Amino acid sequence: MRVSIVIGQHVPPDARAYAEAKLRRLEHHANLDEVSLTVARETALLPEASAEIVVHVHRTRMSARQEAASVREAIDGVIDKVDEQVRRHHDRVTDRKGRIRADAEPPRP
């Protein structure tokens, strides 16, 4: 999995480590190809923090955007949104393919 994290100018330095720890949660649901997370903080605007994430999972692109009052809330919100998307995509693919392996014996009536 390739991870790219872009942190804005006014974002606290511990936000990168926090984001990396949260991104590890996405690996449990699917084999991700690429993850790109952008975190920005603008002190003159309300809400002042925003986060955007783009995830590539085997020919599928998913994205989410979240604005919040703090950087951690924005990161948590965007990770929750894309985590739900990845989970739903994984369930759809699993349901379509079926739960029996290709080399398994068919069920007996």
Side-chain angles (χ1 to χ4, degrees):
M1 174 172 85
R2 289 182 305 215
V3 177
S4 169
I5 300 175
V6 178
I7 302 291
Q9 214 172 21
H10 302 289
V11 178
D14 64 335
R16 179 179 295 276
Y18 183 74
E20 288 174 355
K22 288 297 206 172
L23 285 174
R24 287 192 199 109
R25 186 173 89 184
L26 296 177
E27 294 176 344
H28 297 292
H29 300 296
N31 188 13
L32 306 178
D33 297 331
E34 184 177 353
V35 176
S36 174
L37 175 66
T38 305
V39 180
R41 182 171 173 236
E42 197 62 49
T43 56
L45 300 176
L46 287 177
E48 66 178 42
S50 66
E52 184 174 359
I53 190 168
V54 177
V55 176
H56 293 273
V57 180
H58 189 66
R59 300 182 191 161
T60 304
R61 179 182 181 269
M62 294 170 236
S63 64
R65 181 173 173 78
Q66 179 71 35
E67 294 181 349
S70 72
V71 173
R72 286 182 180 240
E73 288 177 15
I75 291 172
D76 287 341
V78 78
I79 295 291
D80 289 343
K81 284 182 179 182
V82 82
D83 185 41
E84 181 64 27
Q85 289 178 14
V86 168
R87 210 173 327 138
R88 284 179 33 219
H89 173 69
H90 184 271
D91 290 344
R92 279 195 302 264
V93 170
T94 304
D95 288 345
R96 188 174 348 133
K97 287 184 176 180
R99 304 215 187 280
I100 299 175
R101 294 188 340 223
D103 59 345
E105 292 182 22
R108 295 182 182 174

